[in-house]
Amino acid sequence: METIKIKYFSDKIEKLTYVAGKSDWIDLRAAEDITMKQGEFKLIPLGIAMELPKGYEAHVIPRSSTFKNFGLLQTNSCGLIDESYCGDNDQWFFPALAMRDTEIHVNDRICQFRIMEHQPQIVFEETEKLTGKDRGGFGTTGRQ
């Protein structure tokens, strides 16, 4: 079990909790009320900073209900926060683009994260033939 130091920038948001056995993604919440007009971009403060262990990074993505509930898209698709972003003022933010007029309130769950180990060092070995099953060359269905 890893222990991660966390700093809260707001006492209005619920403390982070890890629910074992349910999911290994942890919800993040808006740390302030935000009003956005359609087409507007804002960095939504999440009210936390963390000191991740060496060799780890956080992957931040929208919750499955973020677009339905708020009409928001995460502009970087998947946020990546590495262990070097660990200073006392390195608050996490959610980069949001509003697809409709919307309001986000303090403590609304708008995204989620998980901690991952860095990818190991790899070497590419060129070959003329791969040994796996040929699935048709397009996504998971093999159909275009």
Side-chain angles (χ1 to χ4, degrees), residues 4-134:
I4 297 175
K5 292 181 182 178
I6 185 168
K7 176 183 177 178
Y8 289 92
F9 291 85
S10 170
D11 59 359
K12 296 177 184 173
I13 59 173
E14 288 184 30
K15 305 290 186 193
L16 296 188
T17 56
Y18 178 77
V19 181
K22 182 178 178 195
S23 171
D24 56 357
W25 290 86
I26 300 166
D27 288 337
L28 293 167
R29 299 167 182 276
E32 62 184 54
D33 291 331
I34 302 284
T35 300
M36 297 176 70
K37 298 288 184 194
Q38 181 177 356
E40 187 175 9
F41 169 83
K42 283 192 180 175
L43 290 172
I44 300 174
L46 300 172
I48 61 160
M50 287 188 212
E51 196 172 304
L52 299 175
K54 184 173 175 41
Y56 286 82
E57 61 199 22
H59 295 196
V60 181
I61 63 170
R63 297 182 77 244
S64 59
S65 61
T66 299
F67 187 79
K68 177 181 69 80
N69 291 341
F70 304 105
L72 297 177
L73 296 176
Q74 183 174 347
T75 59
N76 60 351
S77 300
C78 176
L80 180 65
I81 301 170
D82 68 26
E83 76 270 23
S84 70
Y85 192 68
C86 61
D88 204 38
N89 292 304
D90 288 339
Q91 181 174 195
W92 292 16
F93 290 84
F94 181 77
L97 176 65
M99 301 308 291
R100 64 175 189 255
D101 292 355
T102 191
E103 289 186 4
I104 301 99
H105 301 287
V106 170
N107 222 32
D108 281 346
R109 297 178 302 161
I110 58 171
C111 57
Q112 57 191 333
F113 79 102
R114 70 182 301 181
I115 305 298
M116 304 283 294
E117 282 189 84
H118 290 311
Q119 178 170 289
Q121 186 175 3
I122 58 174
V123 174
F124 293 101
E125 177 184 334
E126 191 171 338
T127 183
E128 293 294 322
K129 181 149 180 69
L130 300 175
T131 58
K133 179 182 176 187
D134 189 346

